[in-house]
Amino acid sequence: MKTAVSLVAIGQTLLWGGLYYIFPALLLDWEQSYGWSRPEMTFALALAVIVSALFAPIAGAQIDRGRGVLLLTGSALLGSLLLPLLPFAENLTTFYLIWAAIGVAMAGCLYEPCFAFMVYYHGEQAKRSITLVTLAAGFASTICFPAANYLSDLIGVDQTVRVIAAVLVFIAVPALGIGSHLMKNGSTLCCTAEPTTLSKSTVIILKRPLFWFLAFGFSFMALNHGALLNHFLPLVRDRGLSAELSILAVSMIGPMQVAGRMVWMAFDKKLKLLQVTLACFLSLTLASIALWGSANWPVLIAAFVLLQGSAYGVVSIIKPLVAREVMGPGQLGKVTGLMAVPYLLCFALSPYAASLLWEEGGYDLVILASTTCCLLSMGCLITVIRKHRTETVSADPDKKPA
């Protein structure tokens, strides 16, 4: 089992770096190379994640049907083979089409399907395995940002993309494929798809108010994180940080995610899942407030990196676990896939929306909107906690609610 988790961790780390973080890492280089505006550029990543959101329920259904290994491996390979096509994009339309296709690959191989796959076969026992995977994958941005910038300066942006694609094909894809295969063979099937039709099971899930509050609670948080992460380099430079310190700051978000996950792993048995989630949402709110104050006190950027990184690092682990606790283990792949639709749509639109806000009122307006999203997330989650407590007591009056 340790070997399987280690291989999946390697695959996820490299895939996140190569299929997602490569975009913000090379954003400024692509702006100079292509000559397109920042809103036009960031819409490419938005399009990729939108496509990923649309394909997420399909990916979740494949996991429920026992095809998770094929889904993860095939999607990783698809994304790896699409990446080298980017240097051939001679116009914005082609650039968009390539990123849209990469979005299909994202839907089947990044955190959402991977964690759903792990929970499918291990139930609550997947908590530790997911944490270990994210401890490694939390360094994806730490590796990608400096490596991509160094290679871009050394061999150019086009060759950098090709090198990263080769790393994915020859290391990430085999690691994820072998690791997921070992994980499936070494486990007992924990969740089985209920004998309902695809449309019927979807309607049952969507009729539950808890699903919507839970989905939008995480989705508003995705708006916050996506906007601030993808605009972090130009945002902190706008606040007076040098290029070198900006790279250092963004590279530390990954280690802070790892630090948060290590604290979670040490205390997860003593803490209630929904209360931990609420604490993470509060931390993300405070992070946005710190970023607002960094205009006058640049040292607060360090506070932002600490609070944002550590809290979001935990959120990415507990999302499928919270879904299982609140919604139940049945049709878990479908539940997480449906939850991923608004979540990924918000994550997708956040860089583009932030670009538009930046054009209207600068990065102060972006930070204000991001803080508002945090407050909305907390409101949704508090509602989930209250409704879940009520449902738990109604189902079993002698049982203490979580």
Side-chain angles (χ1 to χ4, degrees):
M1 186 60 187
K2 290 182 180 179
T3 301
V5 173
S6 298
L7 288 171
V8 170
I10 292 170
Q12 284 295 311
T13 303
L14 295 176
L15 286 166
W16 267 102
L19 296 183
Y20 184 81
Y21 287 115
I22 188 175
F23 194 99
L26 295 178
L27 175 60
L28 298 181
D29 294 290
W30 275 330
E31 275 187 347
Q32 295 176 0
S33 176
Y34 291 116
W36 302 322
S37 70
R38 189 168 299 172
E40 287 176 330
M41 291 291 299
T42 52
F43 184 73
L45 183 60
L47 182 61
V49 187
I50 287 170
V51 172
S52 176
L54 297 177
F55 277 82
I58 298 174
Q62 298 309 306
I63 293 170
D64 282 335
R65 292 169 185 170
R67 300 170 186 165
V69 175
L70 179 61
L71 172 75
L72 292 170
T73 310
S75 299
L77 180 60
L78 174 64
S80 304
L81 295 177
L82 287 167
L83 206 57
L85 299 180
L86 287 171
F88 296 102
E90 297 182 351
N91 54 63
L92 196 58
T93 301
T94 306
F95 192 71
Y96 286 165
L97 288 174
I98 295 171
W99 275 103
I102 291 174
V104 177
M106 289 178 175
C109 70
L110 294 185
Y111 274 173
E112 296 289 334
C114 183
F115 292 168
F117 171 84
M118 295 170 76
V119 175
Y120 181 95
Y121 286 106
H122 293 273
E124 291 185 1
Q125 296 178 357
K127 187 187 301 182
R128 183 173 181 82
S129 297
I130 291 174
T131 305
L132 292 172
V133 169
T134 55
L135 287 179
F139 288 103
S141 61
T142 307
I143 296 169
C144 184
F145 276 93
N149 279 271
Y150 172 77
L151 288 173
S152 182
D153 291 339
L154 185 67
I155 60 177
V157 65
D158 290 349
Q159 283 298 104
T160 297
V161 172
R162 295 186 181 104
V163 168
I164 292 174
V167 171
L168 297 188
V169 170
F170 293 108
I171 301 178
V173 175
L176 185 62
I178 296 170
S180 58
H181 178 74
L182 292 175
M183 197 171 287
K184 177 180 179 179
N185 287 350
S187 306
T188 303
L189 188 64
C190 232
C191 303
T192 55
E194 296 172 0
T196 56
T197 64
L198 189 65
S199 58
K200 184 179 178 181
S201 61
T202 300
V203 170
I204 292 172
I205 294 168
L206 296 180
K207 279 185 175 180
R208 294 189 64 183
L210 268 177
F211 168 81
W212 291 106
F213 282 111
L214 191 64
F216 281 106
F218 283 106
S219 298
F220 283 124
M221 197 54 64
L223 277 172
N224 167 275
H225 188 68
L228 298 181
L229 175 67
N230 286 282
H231 284 263
F232 188 80
L233 286 178
L235 191 156
V236 294
R237 289 187 190 182
D238 181 67
R239 270 152 159 68
L241 225 60
S242 67
E244 293 77 12
L245 286 176
S246 299
I247 294 292
L248 175 63
V250 75
S251 299
M252 289 304 296
I253 291 178
M256 291 304 101
Q257 289 183 348
V258 173
R261 289 160 184 164
M262 290 181 69
V263 172
W264 155 254
M265 190 166 62
F267 296 99
D268 69 309
K269 293 181 180 178
K270 302 177 182 179
L271 302 172
K272 295 179 180 179
L273 196 56
L274 290 172
Q275 291 177 356
V276 170
T277 308
L278 185 59
C280 289
F281 282 14
L282 176 60
S283 179
L284 289 163
T285 306
L286 295 175
S288 294
I289 294 172
L291 195 58
W292 178 274
S294 68
N296 297 318
W297 301 283
V299 70
L300 288 178
I301 292 174
F304 168 81
V305 170
L306 172 63
L307 293 168
Q308 185 85 7
S310 59
Y312 203 84
V314 176
V315 166
S316 62
I317 297 177
I318 61 181
K319 188 148 67 72
L321 297 170
V322 170
R324 188 180 191 277
E325 177 171 324
V326 174
M327 299 295 294
Q331 295 284 352
L332 181 64
K334 174 62 69 62
V335 170
T336 56
L338 289 170
M339 278 182 60
V341 174
Y343 175 85
L344 292 175
L345 285 174
C346 288
F347 200 66
L349 294 173
S350 59
Y352 182 65
S355 294
L356 297 178
L357 290 172
W358 169 72
E359 287 187 332
E360 289 295 321
Y363 278 119
D364 281 349
L365 182 59
V366 173
I367 296 170
L368 178 61
S370 299
T371 306
T372 302
C373 288
C374 288
L375 296 174
L376 290 171
S377 288
M378 291 182 65
C380 288
L381 187 62
I382 290 170
T383 304
V384 168
I385 292 172
R386 289 176 175 173
K387 285 184 173 292
H388 180 58
R389 183 184 293 118
T390 302
E391 287 190 3
T392 303
V393 172
S394 298
D396 187 355
D398 297 325
K399 183 179 178 180
K400 276 190 173 183

